[in-house]
Every structure is written in C-alpha cells, then in structure tokens.
Amino acid sequence: MKQTSKATVFIILLIFVCACAAQTVSAPEPVHKPEWLWKPSDGGKIGGVGIAKEHIHGLDAQRKLAVSRAIDSIAAQLGVQVQNVTVLESHATSSGSSSTTIDSYSIHTVQGNTVKAAVREFWTDVQTGELYVWMVLE
C-alpha cells in the first residue's frame, strides 16, 4: 500500500513539474520608437519633439501640451526667449460650490519674428501612454 501511494505522489509531482516547465514566459515586445525622436531635424530644417503624459482633460489636452513643448524645443534652438505663465483661478459661490480653472500660456520672443512650425507626426508609446509629437520649422 505504501509503495502504491508513494508511486502515486511521485507521478503527480512529476506531472506538475512537467506542466510548469512546459510553460514559457515571453519577454515583452520591444517598443520600436521612431527615428525622429533622436534626430528631429529634417533636411537641414530645425525640428523639435514634444512629449506629454496622459492628461486629465483627455487626448486633445495631451496633444496641445505635446505641441507646446515641441515649439518650446524649436524656439530654444533658435535662441528664442521662452516664458511660460500659468494662471490659476478659483471661484466660490455662496451656495458652497466652487470651480477652479488653470490656463497656461507660452510666450516666445524672437526679436520680432514669428516662429512657425508644422506637425510632421504623432506617436504614442502604448506601454507608457505618452504622446510624442514631431514638429519641424517651416
């Protein structure tokens, strides 16, 4: 009887070990990032990349933030003075409700010249949710 129970336990353990060993764990697929992340200039034209994490106000706000950061990058390469201003406004009513708004402004000064850049491409890193935008000076 002991021989049979030992053999049964051994067979069950052997099956369990074989089942666990047969499972393969695959490494996560590498993220293929676009080449322009490292070389944003294009054909001799100055380029910039803007990055924005997921935004509380959704995809549109995330895109606007990424574009603003790309323009800041281009402006900095041109020796532009960049000034970012954030305005926070809070309003309370007599009924006890309140609201808060945040406005962000980016001011670029280039000795009276306007900085014009065009969006070339958007890319989203699916692992982090970060949105990247590539812009090139026109």
Side-chain angles (χ1 to χ4, degrees):
M1 180 77 170
K2 288 186 178 184
Q3 289 281 61
T4 308
S5 63
K6 284 184 180 178
T8 305
V9 170
F10 178 73
I11 291 173
I12 291 172
L13 286 173
L14 184 62
I15 291 171
F16 178 73
V17 169
C18 290
C20 290
Q23 294 178 353
T24 58
V25 177
S26 60
E29 268 189 50
V31 176
H32 299 288
K33 295 184 177 182
E35 186 68 24
W36 50 261
L37 286 177
W38 295 276
K39 298 177 183 176
S41 295
D42 183 38
K45 293 183 177 181
I46 295 173
V49 174
I51 306 167
K53 293 184 183 237
E54 291 180 343
H55 201 282
I56 191 169
H57 297 295
L59 184 59
D60 190 47
Q62 186 180 16
R63 283 184 185 144
K64 287 177 183 177
L65 181 59
V67 166
S68 174
R69 289 179 175 168
I71 291 171
D72 289 348
S73 173
I74 291 170
Q77 294 175 60
L78 295 172
V80 175
Q81 294 177 349
V82 178
Q83 181 181 14
N84 292 310
V85 177
T86 303
V87 178
L88 174 66
E89 292 181 15
S90 295
H91 302 280
T93 64
S94 59
S95 64
S97 64
S98 64
S99 66
T100 303
T101 58
I102 297 175
D103 292 319
S104 182
Y105 304 95
S106 185
I107 303 164
H108 306 266
T109 306
V110 189
Q111 299 175 357
N113 295 329
T114 303
V115 177
K116 286 187 179 181
V119 173
R120 290 289 175 92
E121 191 174 331
F122 282 98
W123 178 75
T124 302
D125 186 334
V126 293
Q127 291 179 342
T128 64
E130 291 177 320
L131 177 69
Y132 294 74
V133 62
W134 173 36
M135 298 183 73
V136 177
L137 192 66
E138 290 186 329

